[in-house]
Amino acid sequence: MAFNVLQALTARNVSRQAAKRVWSQWDYLVLDIETSGLDSKQDHIVSFGWVCIHNGVIDLDSARHIVLDSAEIGDNVGIHMITDADVRQQGKKQESVLRYLRQLLRERVLVMHHAPLELSFLKQAWQNETLPAFSASWLDTLAIERTKANRSQQPIQDGGFRLGACRERYGLPEYQGHDALTDALATAELLLAQIAYQGRDCRLQDLKQLGGGRVRFATR
C-alpha cells in the first residue's frame, strides 16, 4: 500500500513539473493526412506528411512524405498530387508506417490542423491493423485559432479557419500545391506563429487549453 502511495505521489509530482515546462521544451510532430474522402469508416488514407519541431525550430531534416501502397488514386490525381505510378514505385504498407509513427510519437506532441478528421482516420487505421495501443498528447491549430477568435470576439467568415486563411492572418505566405508534406510544413509554421502571438513563454498546457487534448489509439 505504501509503495502504491509513493508511486502516485511521484507521478503527480512529475505531472506538475511537466505542466510548468514552456512549450519549446517539448518536441512536436506536425502531421497531415491525405485521404480518399471524409468518412473514415468508408474512405482510406492515401498519404502521410510530417515534420518535427525541436527546441522551438522546424527540423527540415525530419520532413517525410509517404504514399501508401493501398492508395487508390484514379481521378484524384489533381487533388493529391500523386499518381498511380507513385503508388506502385514508392508505396509503403500502412502497418509499417503506423509503427514508425508510433515510435516517433513516444516523445513528441502530435500537431494537426482540424484534428477530429485526422484522428478519426488514424484511429480507424489503428483498428484495421490491430496495432498495440498507445496514447499521445495533441494540438489542433484550427481549434487554437477558433478559441483565439472567440476570445477576441473577432468574426470569422465561412472558410476562415482553413489552413491557408489562418496563415494569411499571420502574414504567412501561401504555398502552391497541397500534398501532405506541404500542408504539414504549413501547419508547423502556423503553430509557431500562434505561439509567438501567445508569447514564447507559454506552456504546452496553455496551448492544450486553447485547442488540444490526449488521444488513445487502440484496437477497440
Side-chain angles (χ1 to χ4, degrees), residues 197-209:
Y197 178 86
Q198 296 297 324
R200 295 187 65 86
D201 60 344
C202 75
R203 302 164 301 168
L204 173 60
Q205 181 178 345
D206 300 325
L207 295 172
K208 289 173 72 172
Q209 289 175 350

Side-chain angles (χ1 to χ4, degrees), residues 57-74:
V57 178
I58 297 173
D59 179 10
L60 292 178
D61 288 338
S62 70
R64 297 290 183 273
H65 183 235
I66 301 177
V67 179
L68 297 186
D69 62 3
S70 57
E72 298 175 5
I73 305 302

